[in-house]
Amino acid sequence: MQNKKVLKYVVLVLAFVIPGSVFLFLKKFGKNEFAVTPLYQDAPPVRTPDCPPVGQGPYRIPPAILQSLGWPDSASLILYFFTEDEQQLSRVEATFLSPEITPVKVEPRQDSLALWSRCYLFITEQRPLLLVDQDGRIRGHYGNTREEVDRLLMETAIILKKY
Protein backbone atom coordinates (compact mmCIF):
# COMPACT_ATOMS: atom_id res chain seq x y z
CA MET A 1 0.00 0.00 0.00
CA GLN A 2 2.81 2.37 0.94
CA ASN A 3 4.64 1.56 -2.35
CA LYS A 4 1.59 2.50 -4.41
CA LYS A 5 1.33 5.84 -2.65
CA VAL A 6 5.02 6.62 -3.23
CA LEU A 7 4.71 5.51 -6.87
CA LYS A 8 1.74 7.90 -7.36
CA TYR A 9 3.78 10.83 -6.00
CA VAL A 10 6.78 9.98 -8.17
CA VAL A 11 4.62 9.76 -11.30
CA LEU A 12 2.83 13.00 -10.38
CA VAL A 13 6.10 14.87 -9.80
CA LEU A 14 7.58 13.54 -13.06
CA ALA A 15 4.42 14.54 -14.93
CA PHE A 16 5.02 18.15 -13.90
CA VAL A 17 8.82 18.26 -13.86
CA ILE A 18 9.53 16.81 -17.33
CA PRO A 19 7.26 19.19 -19.33
CA GLY A 20 8.39 22.12 -17.19
CA SER A 21 12.03 21.24 -17.85
CA VAL A 22 11.44 20.96 -21.58
CA PHE A 23 9.66 24.34 -21.59
CA LEU A 24 12.48 26.06 -19.69
CA PHE A 25 15.12 24.47 -21.93
CA LEU A 26 13.37 25.64 -25.10
CA LYS A 27 12.72 29.07 -23.64
CA LYS A 28 16.40 29.52 -22.81
CA PHE A 29 18.07 27.87 -25.82
CA GLY A 30 15.36 27.79 -28.52
CA LYS A 31 14.97 30.35 -31.25
CA ASN A 32 11.56 30.92 -32.81
CA GLU A 33 12.48 32.47 -36.14
CA PHE A 34 11.33 31.94 -39.68
CA ALA A 35 13.21 32.86 -42.84
CA VAL A 36 12.35 33.33 -46.49
CA THR A 37 15.57 32.87 -48.39
CA PRO A 38 16.10 34.74 -51.65
CA LEU A 39 15.62 32.70 -54.80
CA TYR A 40 18.49 31.63 -57.06
CA GLN A 41 21.25 31.88 -54.46
CA ASP A 42 23.43 29.28 -56.17
CA ALA A 43 22.80 30.34 -59.76
CA PRO A 44 19.95 31.59 -61.94
CA PRO A 45 17.57 28.97 -63.31
CA VAL A 46 18.12 27.40 -66.69
CA ARG A 47 17.56 30.02 -69.35
CA THR A 48 16.97 29.92 -73.07
CA PRO A 49 20.00 30.11 -75.38
CA ASP A 50 19.07 33.59 -76.62
CA CYS A 51 19.60 35.07 -73.14
CA PRO A 52 22.89 36.84 -72.37
CA PRO A 53 25.18 35.04 -69.92
CA VAL A 54 25.01 35.91 -66.22
CA GLY A 55 27.76 35.37 -63.67
CA GLN A 56 27.77 32.56 -61.13
CA GLY A 57 26.94 32.96 -57.47
CA PRO A 58 23.95 34.58 -55.82
CA TYR A 59 21.72 36.04 -58.52
CA ARG A 60 20.78 39.70 -58.48
CA ILE A 61 18.73 41.52 -61.05
CA PRO A 62 20.99 43.93 -62.97
CA PRO A 63 20.60 47.51 -61.68
CA ALA A 64 19.95 48.91 -65.17
CA ILE A 65 16.86 46.72 -65.52
CA LEU A 66 15.61 47.65 -62.06
CA GLN A 67 16.02 51.35 -62.85
CA SER A 68 14.09 50.93 -66.10
CA LEU A 69 11.25 49.22 -64.24
CA GLY A 70 10.90 52.16 -61.82
CA TRP A 71 13.14 51.26 -58.88
CA PRO A 72 12.19 53.26 -55.75
CA ASP A 73 15.20 53.85 -53.49
CA SER A 74 13.28 54.20 -50.23
CA ALA A 75 11.46 50.84 -50.04
CA SER A 76 12.83 47.74 -48.37
CA LEU A 77 10.73 45.47 -50.63
CA ILE A 78 9.39 46.21 -54.10
CA LEU A 79 6.47 44.34 -55.60
CA TYR A 80 6.46 44.51 -59.39
CA PHE A 81 3.21 43.47 -60.99
CA PHE A 82 2.96 42.63 -64.64
CA THR A 83 -0.81 42.27 -64.86
CA GLU A 84 -3.81 44.47 -65.56
CA ASP A 85 -5.89 42.86 -62.79
CA GLU A 86 -5.20 44.87 -59.63
CA GLN A 87 -7.97 43.33 -57.53
CA GLN A 88 -5.70 41.48 -55.07
CA LEU A 89 -3.08 44.25 -54.85
CA SER A 90 -5.28 46.43 -52.68
CA ARG A 91 -4.84 43.81 -49.93
CA VAL A 92 -1.07 44.25 -50.09
CA GLU A 93 -1.32 48.04 -49.91
CA ALA A 94 -3.77 47.80 -46.99
CA THR A 95 -1.54 45.41 -45.03
CA PHE A 96 1.87 47.07 -45.30
CA LEU A 97 3.00 50.66 -45.05
CA SER A 98 4.54 52.52 -47.95
CA PRO A 99 8.22 52.38 -46.88
CA GLU A 100 7.98 48.63 -46.13
CA ILE A 101 6.72 47.49 -49.53
CA THR A 102 6.22 49.56 -52.64
CA PRO A 103 3.99 48.21 -55.42
CA VAL A 104 5.18 49.18 -58.90
CA LYS A 105 2.99 48.56 -61.93
CA VAL A 106 5.05 47.63 -64.97
CA GLU A 107 3.56 48.78 -68.24
CA PRO A 108 3.75 46.16 -70.99
CA ARG A 109 4.55 48.78 -73.62
CA GLN A 110 8.31 48.39 -73.24
CA ASP A 111 9.85 46.50 -76.16
CA SER A 112 12.55 44.87 -74.07
CA LEU A 113 10.11 43.68 -71.38
CA ALA A 114 9.64 40.24 -72.97
CA LEU A 115 13.41 39.65 -72.99
CA TRP A 116 13.79 40.92 -69.41
CA SER A 117 10.89 38.77 -68.19
CA ARG A 118 12.37 35.65 -69.76
CA CYS A 119 16.09 36.22 -69.10
CA TYR A 120 16.41 38.30 -65.93
CA LEU A 121 13.13 38.38 -64.00
CA PHE A 122 11.86 34.84 -64.77
CA ILE A 123 8.24 36.03 -64.95
CA THR A 124 5.53 33.74 -66.32
CA GLU A 125 1.88 34.44 -67.09
CA GLN A 126 0.86 32.22 -64.18
CA ARG A 127 3.05 34.21 -61.76
CA PRO A 128 2.89 37.89 -62.75
CA LEU A 129 3.92 39.30 -59.33
CA LEU A 130 7.61 39.65 -58.46
CA LEU A 131 8.93 40.54 -54.99
CA VAL A 132 12.43 42.06 -54.98
CA ASP A 133 14.42 43.26 -51.96
CA GLN A 134 16.55 46.39 -51.83
CA ASP A 135 19.66 44.43 -52.82
CA GLY A 136 18.07 43.38 -56.12
CA ARG A 137 17.52 39.77 -55.04
CA ILE A 138 14.33 38.01 -56.10
CA ARG A 139 12.39 37.04 -52.97
CA GLY A 140 9.44 35.38 -54.68
CA HIS A 141 7.20 34.87 -57.71
CA TYR A 142 3.47 34.96 -57.05
CA GLY A 143 0.24 34.51 -58.94
CA ASN A 144 -2.64 36.96 -58.85
CA THR A 145 -5.03 34.62 -57.03
CA ARG A 146 -6.26 34.96 -53.48
CA GLU A 147 -4.14 32.02 -52.28
CA GLU A 148 -0.97 33.34 -53.90
CA VAL A 149 -1.51 36.83 -52.46
CA ASP A 150 -2.05 35.22 -49.03
CA ARG A 151 1.34 33.51 -49.46
CA LEU A 152 2.85 36.84 -50.56
CA LEU A 153 1.50 38.58 -47.45
CA MET A 154 2.78 35.84 -45.15
CA GLU A 155 6.26 35.72 -46.70
CA THR A 156 6.50 39.52 -46.72
CA ALA A 157 5.64 39.62 -43.02
CA ILE A 158 8.36 37.02 -42.36
CA ILE A 159 10.92 38.99 -44.38
CA LEU A 160 10.03 42.17 -42.51
CA LYS A 161 10.00 40.18 -39.21
CA LYS A 162 6.42 41.15 -38.36
CA TYR A 163 5.30 37.92 -36.70
Side-chain angles (χ1 to χ4, degrees), residues 10-136:
V10 169
V11 169
L12 188 61
V13 167
L14 288 177
F16 286 113
V17 169
I18 291 174
S21 301
V22 169
F23 174 77
L24 292 175
F25 176 80
L26 291 176
K27 191 75 169 163
K28 182 157 177 83
F29 298 109
K31 191 173 186 182
N32 188 13
E33 186 173 301
F34 301 100
V36 177
T37 58
L39 300 178
Y40 317 122
Q41 285 301 292
D42 299 327
V46 177
R47 301 173 337 147
T48 58
D50 63 332
C51 292
V54 177
Q56 296 298 320
Y59 180 72
R60 285 181 166 54
I61 299 172
I65 293 174
L66 290 174
Q67 292 296 330
S68 297
L69 291 174
W71 179 260
D73 291 329
S74 61
S76 60
L77 291 173
I78 298 90
L79 178 66
Y80 291 107
F81 55 101
F82 298 83
T83 179
E84 297 296 322
D85 182 18
E86 299 180 23
Q87 178 182 2
Q88 296 292 332
L89 292 176
S90 61
R91 292 178 52 212
V92 175
E93 292 173 339
T95 305
F96 298 104
L97 300 174
S98 167
E100 295 172 331
I101 185 168
T102 303
V104 175
K105 181 169 179 47
V106 179
E107 298 296 329
R109 69 181 190 281
Q110 298 177 358
D111 296 333
S112 54
L113 187 59
L115 175 71
W116 292 349
S117 296
R118 188 175 65 252
C119 295
Y120 298 106
L121 305 174
F122 315 114
I123 300 292
T124 63
E125 287 184 25
Q126 296 82 18
R127 298 193 180 266
L129 304 176
L130 176 70
L131 187 65
V132 179
D133 64 11
Q134 59 192 9
D135 296 328

